[in-house]
Amino acid sequence: MYIPISFTLLVTSSLFCQLVTSKTHEPTELHLIHRVVHPDLPVTPWAELGTVTVPSFKSISPTGSAASLSLAESLRDDLAEFSEAVDPNMQGAMYHVAIERLESEGPVSSIKACLLPSSTSANVVIHFSATGEPFAIDYFVSPVPQDGICPVTNMGSYPAHNASVVLKSPRMAPLPELRIPPPLTPEGEPVAPVPEKSFVQKYWIYMVVVLGALLISGPAEDSPSGDGKGGK
């Protein structure tokens, strides 16, 4: 049976729109993973950090919407293994946090591992594309020295932070303001603007009319007065 190409494209487009709509309306879950790495040591395997519950995409604000993070039950055991594999105070040690994906490694955020032992809180920011797909993640802890230098500490462990999570949707850029190009002469030169007329040039005709009316009317005549002599 012959199926018109236009009908096939219409059905494919409809299914794609339904898929995008379902992604933007239904809540989903994102699984976060983490690890520690050092250039001179074997790479530590990824371990589960927690699960972020993502609401419908339409409810996510460009300025940021809060979300909940459920930490993995094995988090403390994994952090203990991290400290045995890579001491956070080692120069060059890095801590990675990423979004887990089945087909490939998702977006990754990294910080110096030496900043973790003295930190008291953590924050996660997840950025979404216009189609509702997470494309970037930011992970940072506090407090952090202003100069970014690792603080001096004897602690060689990684703390388990109940991190706060913020979701951000794309911000629409302002539309460009288009200006009308100036008129050009046949030679391609900009047309010089007409100089503005002075007050006399604008209203000289009215001034002439008023002056003419005054000249025609002439000086005001004195009203006649009698001698005031009466006959006796």
PDB file of all heavy atoms in Angstrom, residues 187-202:
ATOM      1  N   GLU A 187      24.207  59.090  -5.944  1.00  0.00           N
ATOM      2  CA  GLU A 187      25.642  58.815  -5.886  1.00  0.00           C
ATOM      3  C   GLU A 187      26.017  57.910  -4.723  1.00  0.00           C
ATOM      4  O   GLU A 187      27.181  57.562  -4.543  1.00  0.00           O
ATOM      5  CB  GLU A 187      26.430  60.133  -5.784  1.00  0.00           C
ATOM      6  CG  GLU A 187      26.374  60.996  -7.037  1.00  0.00           C
ATOM      7  CD  GLU A 187      25.046  61.729  -7.148  1.00  0.00           C
ATOM      8  OE1 GLU A 187      24.344  61.803  -6.107  1.00  0.00           O
ATOM      9  OE2 GLU A 187      24.698  62.206  -8.245  1.00  0.00           O
ATOM     10  N   GLY A 188      25.033  57.546  -3.898  1.00  0.00           N
ATOM     11  CA  GLY A 188      25.305  56.677  -2.756  1.00  0.00           C
ATOM     12  C   GLY A 188      25.683  57.392  -1.496  1.00  0.00           C
ATOM     13  O   GLY A 188      26.067  56.754  -0.503  1.00  0.00           O
ATOM     14  N   GLU A 189      25.576  58.709  -1.469  1.00  0.00           N
ATOM     15  CA  GLU A 189      25.916  59.491  -0.283  1.00  0.00           C
ATOM     16  C   GLU A 189      24.661  59.695   0.570  1.00  0.00           C
ATOM     17  O   GLU A 189      23.556  59.798   0.045  1.00  0.00           O
ATOM     18  CB  GLU A 189      26.490  60.855  -0.679  1.00  0.00           C
ATOM     19  CG  GLU A 189      27.788  60.776  -1.468  1.00  0.00           C
ATOM     20  CD  GLU A 189      28.926  60.235  -0.625  1.00  0.00           C
ATOM     21  OE1 GLU A 189      28.866  60.387   0.614  1.00  0.00           O
ATOM     22  OE2 GLU A 189      29.865  59.660  -1.206  1.00  0.00           O
ATOM     23  N   PRO A 190      24.817  59.741   1.895  1.00  0.00           N
ATOM     24  CA  PRO A 190      23.647  60.008   2.747  1.00  0.00           C
ATOM     25  C   PRO A 190      23.046  61.372   2.453  1.00  0.00           C
ATOM     26  O   PRO A 190      23.764  62.351   2.225  1.00  0.00           O
ATOM     27  CB  PRO A 190      24.222  59.951   4.173  1.00  0.00           C
ATOM     28  CG  PRO A 190      25.496  59.191   4.046  1.00  0.00           C
ATOM     29  CD  PRO A 190      26.034  59.467   2.679  1.00  0.00           C
ATOM     30  N   VAL A 191      21.732  61.411   2.417  1.00  0.00           N
ATOM     31  CA  VAL A 191      21.040  62.670   2.170  1.00  0.00           C
ATOM     32  C   VAL A 191      21.185  63.564   3.389  1.00  0.00           C
ATOM     33  O   VAL A 191      20.899  63.149   4.522  1.00  0.00           O
ATOM     34  CB  VAL A 191      19.556  62.413   1.847  1.00  0.00           C
ATOM     35  CG1 VAL A 191      18.808  63.736   1.678  1.00  0.00           C
ATOM     36  CG2 VAL A 191      19.430  61.565   0.588  1.00  0.00           C
ATOM     37  N   ALA A 192      21.663  64.786   3.154  1.00  0.00           N
ATOM     38  CA  ALA A 192      21.844  65.727   4.263  1.00  0.00           C
ATOM     39  C   ALA A 192      20.489  66.144   4.802  1.00  0.00           C
ATOM     40  O   ALA A 192      19.566  66.430   4.030  1.00  0.00           O
ATOM     41  CB  ALA A 192      22.626  66.952   3.797  1.00  0.00           C
ATOM     42  N   PRO A 193      20.310  66.201   6.098  1.00  0.00           N
ATOM     43  CA  PRO A 193      19.018  66.608   6.656  1.00  0.00           C
ATOM     44  C   PRO A 193      18.718  68.075   6.340  1.00  0.00           C
ATOM     45  O   PRO A 193      19.626  68.916   6.265  1.00  0.00           O
ATOM     46  CB  PRO A 193      19.208  66.392   8.163  1.00  0.00           C
ATOM     47  CG  PRO A 193      20.683  66.454   8.385  1.00  0.00           C
ATOM     48  CD  PRO A 193      21.303  65.896   7.145  1.00  0.00           C
ATOM     49  N   VAL A 194      17.458  68.347   6.162  1.00  0.00           N
ATOM     50  CA  VAL A 194      17.030  69.723   5.875  1.00  0.00           C
ATOM     51  C   VAL A 194      17.194  70.553   7.140  1.00  0.00           C
ATOM     52  O   VAL A 194      16.697  70.165   8.211  1.00  0.00           O
ATOM     53  CB  VAL A 194      15.568  69.741   5.402  1.00  0.00           C
ATOM     54  CG1 VAL A 194      15.114  71.169   5.131  1.00  0.00           C
ATOM     55  CG2 VAL A 194      15.405  68.878   4.154  1.00  0.00           C
ATOM     56  N   PRO A 195      17.904  71.703   7.066  1.00  0.00           N
ATOM     57  CA  PRO A 195      18.084  72.514   8.277  1.00  0.00           C
ATOM     58  C   PRO A 195      16.748  73.042   8.789  1.00  0.00           C
ATOM     59  O   PRO A 195      15.862  73.395   8.010  1.00  0.00           O
ATOM     60  CB  PRO A 195      19.003  73.653   7.813  1.00  0.00           C
ATOM     61  CG  PRO A 195      18.831  73.700   6.326  1.00  0.00           C
ATOM     62  CD  PRO A 195      18.561  72.298   5.885  1.00  0.00           C
ATOM     63  N   GLU A 196      16.616  73.058  10.093  1.00  0.00           N
ATOM     64  CA  GLU A 196      15.363  73.510  10.701  1.00  0.00           C
ATOM     65  C   GLU A 196      15.205  75.028  10.503  1.00  0.00           C
ATOM     66  O   GLU A 196      16.161  75.791  10.652  1.00  0.00           O
ATOM     67  CB  GLU A 196      15.356  73.173  12.187  1.00  0.00           C
ATOM     68  CG  GLU A 196      14.039  73.461  12.864  1.00  0.00           C
ATOM     69  CD  GLU A 196      14.050  73.059  14.321  1.00  0.00           C
ATOM     70  OE1 GLU A 196      15.080  72.511  14.771  1.00  0.00           O
ATOM     71  OE2 GLU A 196      13.036  73.284  15.002  1.00  0.00           O
ATOM     72  N   LYS A 197      13.974  75.445  10.164  1.00  0.00           N
ATOM     73  CA  LYS A 197      13.693  76.854   9.924  1.00  0.00           C
ATOM     74  C   LYS A 197      13.655  77.628  11.234  1.00  0.00           C
ATOM     75  O   LYS A 197      13.284  77.088  12.283  1.00  0.00           O
ATOM     76  CB  LYS A 197      12.362  77.011   9.208  1.00  0.00           C
ATOM     77  CG  LYS A 197      12.342  76.430   7.793  1.00  0.00           C
ATOM     78  CD  LYS A 197      10.998  76.648   7.132  1.00  0.00           C
ATOM     79  CE  LYS A 197      10.976  76.081   5.712  1.00  0.00           C
ATOM     80  NZ  LYS A 197       9.661  76.315   5.055  1.00  0.00           N
ATOM     81  N   SER A 198      14.024  78.909  11.127  1.00  0.00           N
ATOM     82  CA  SER A 198      13.960  79.766  12.309  1.00  0.00           C
ATOM     83  C   SER A 198      12.519  80.187  12.577  1.00  0.00           C
ATOM     84  O   SER A 198      11.604  79.911  11.788  1.00  0.00           O
ATOM     85  CB  SER A 198      14.847  81.001  12.106  1.00  0.00           C
ATOM     86  OG  SER A 198      14.355  81.787  11.016  1.00  0.00           O
ATOM     87  N   PHE A 199      12.323  80.886  13.677  1.00  0.00           N
ATOM     88  CA  PHE A 199      10.980  81.338  14.041  1.00  0.00           C
ATOM     89  C   PHE A 199      10.417  82.304  12.986  1.00  0.00           C
ATOM     90  O   PHE A 199       9.252  82.215  12.599  1.00  0.00           O
ATOM     91  CB  PHE A 199      11.023  82.011  15.421  1.00  0.00           C
ATOM     92  CG  PHE A 199       9.685  82.526  15.881  1.00  0.00           C
ATOM     93  CD1 PHE A 199       8.763  81.676  16.478  1.00  0.00           C
ATOM     94  CD2 PHE A 199       9.355  83.865  15.712  1.00  0.00           C
ATOM     95  CE1 PHE A 199       7.536  82.149  16.899  1.00  0.00           C
ATOM     96  CE2 PHE A 199       8.120  84.337  16.124  1.00  0.00           C
ATOM     97  CZ  PHE A 199       7.203  83.470  16.727  1.00  0.00           C
ATOM     98  N   VAL A 200      11.259  83.203  12.496  1.00  0.00           N
ATOM     99  CA  VAL A 200      10.800  84.176  11.495  1.00  0.00           C
ATOM    100  C   VAL A 200      10.457  83.471  10.188  1.00  0.00           C
ATOM    101  O   VAL A 200       9.460  83.785   9.531  1.00  0.00           O
ATOM    102  CB  VAL A 200      11.861  85.260  11.267  1.00  0.00           C
ATOM    103  CG1 VAL A 200      11.437  86.216  10.154  1.00  0.00           C
ATOM    104  CG2 VAL A 200      12.120  86.024  12.563  1.00  0.00           C
ATOM    105  N   GLN A 201      11.294  82.455   9.804  1.00  0.00           N
ATOM    106  CA  GLN A 201      11.019  81.730   8.565  1.00  0.00           C
ATOM    107  C   GLN A 201       9.723  80.932   8.635  1.00  0.00           C
ATOM    108  O   GLN A 201       9.041  80.754   7.631  1.00  0.00           O
ATOM    109  CB  GLN A 201      12.197  80.800   8.249  1.00  0.00           C
ATOM    110  CG  GLN A 201      13.473  81.530   7.837  1.00  0.00           C
ATOM    111  CD  GLN A 201      14.631  80.573   7.672  1.00  0.00           C
ATOM    112  OE1 GLN A 201      14.718  79.556   8.352  1.00  0.00           O
ATOM    113  NE2 GLN A 201      15.545  80.929   6.760  1.00  0.00           N
ATOM    114  N   LYS A 202       9.381  80.454   9.817  1.00  0.00           N
ATOM    115  CA  LYS A 202       8.169  79.658   9.959  1.00  0.00           C
ATOM    116  C   LYS A 202       6.906  80.531   9.966  1.00  0.00           C
ATOM    117  O   LYS A 202       5.885  80.171   9.367  1.00  0.00           O
ATOM    118  CB  LYS A 202       8.235  78.834  11.255  1.00  0.00           C
ATOM    119  CG  LYS A 202       9.239  77.690  11.233  1.00  0.00           C
ATOM    120  CD  LYS A 202       9.193  76.925  12.549  1.00  0.00           C
ATOM    121  CE  LYS A 202      10.164  75.763  12.550  1.00  0.00           C
ATOM    122  NZ  LYS A 202      10.145  75.011  13.842  1.00  0.00           N
TER     123      LYS A 202
END
